[in-house]
Amino acid sequence: MSFIPLIGVAFGLVAVVWGLRTKKAGGKRLAGIGAGGIGFTFVLYGSLFYFGMEQRGGVYEELRVNLAQTTINSLVPSIEFYKTQNGQYPESLKSLQESLPKESFVSVFDPTVIGIQEQPKYFYYERVGADHYYLRGVGQDGKPFSADDVIPQIAATPASKIGLLLEHADK
């Protein structure tokens, strides 16, 4: 039972203690099996953590990019609503975040930039004048306006008053 992930750790601990304390034959074997089950749990969850949080370019990379796309798409209406309420676009995503209700599901952090040592990083946001702004996820290279950026995909018509700029003026 010690090989059942997570809950097997308790059974493994009991098996190790019992195996080491017993004078009967097979006690050391019982302790070894218990320790093996505990080790299995640590290897399994360690692997899941590594592949899900630390590894770049792995199987979860596409999922992180999809999450970033959904998140950045939902951020555009929040920025536009901020302008409607305040008469100007926010100075930064931090000021936008501070204006959101505490129960808001809108995130201003880029989910592609992760890691155990990393602090959450904001999406790239730059206000251009009073009426426009750039918004994008910077991707793996960490540089805005490169090929791996995640840009909002919104249905804007030429007559719409959305201030989102997709292409950099220097390009």
Side-chain angles (χ1 to χ4, degrees):
M1 298 208 29
S2 67
F3 283 88
I4 299 171
L6 196 58
I7 62 170
V9 171
F11 291 109
L13 287 173
V14 169
V16 168
V17 170
W18 191 350
L20 293 177
R21 298 198 77 201
T22 188
K23 303 276 189 227
K24 294 182 181 180
K28 302 255 190 254
R29 177 188 266 173
L30 179 62
I33 291 172
I38 293 170
F40 173 74
T41 296
F42 280 104
V43 168
L44 177 68
Y45 281 99
S47 298
L48 289 174
F49 176 78
Y50 173 75
F51 291 120
M53 298 295 287
E54 294 293 326
Q55 182 188 37
R56 290 291 173 200
V59 295
Y60 295 106
E61 191 66 30
E62 184 179 342
L63 295 174
R64 283 191 284 270
V65 171
N66 289 343
L67 178 60
Q69 187 67 64
T70 303
T71 304
I72 204 166
N73 288 347
S74 69
L75 191 54
V76 172
S78 296
I79 294 171
E80 296 297 331
F81 187 67
Y82 182 97
K83 182 180 183 200
T84 302
Q85 285 184 317
N86 299 294
Q88 65 181 8
Y89 288 112
E91 288 293 324
S92 66
L93 290 180
K94 184 176 182 181
S95 60
L96 173 67
Q97 181 184 27
E98 292 168 353
S99 73
L100 294 171
K102 291 192 186 298
E103 305 84 29
S104 176
F105 288 108
V106 176
S107 175
V108 295
F109 298 109
D110 190 344
T112 60
V113 182
I114 57 159
I116 195 162
Q117 301 294 329
E118 301 264 347
Q119 293 293 327
K121 292 199 171 127
Y122 291 99
F123 283 108
Y124 176 82
Y125 173 82
E126 178 186 348
R127 193 169 87 176
V128 180
D131 296 327
H132 296 93
Y133 62 95
Y134 294 110
L135 178 67
R136 56 190 53 230
V138 294
Q140 284 185 349
D141 65 2
K143 298 175 185 171
F145 306 104
S146 61
D148 67 342
D149 288 359
V150 177
I151 58 173
Q153 296 176 344
I154 56 169
T157 63
S160 70
K161 306 235 182 212
I162 294 175
L164 175 66
L165 298 172
L166 298 176
E167 295 297 322
H168 197 268
D170 295 340
K171 297 232 171 196

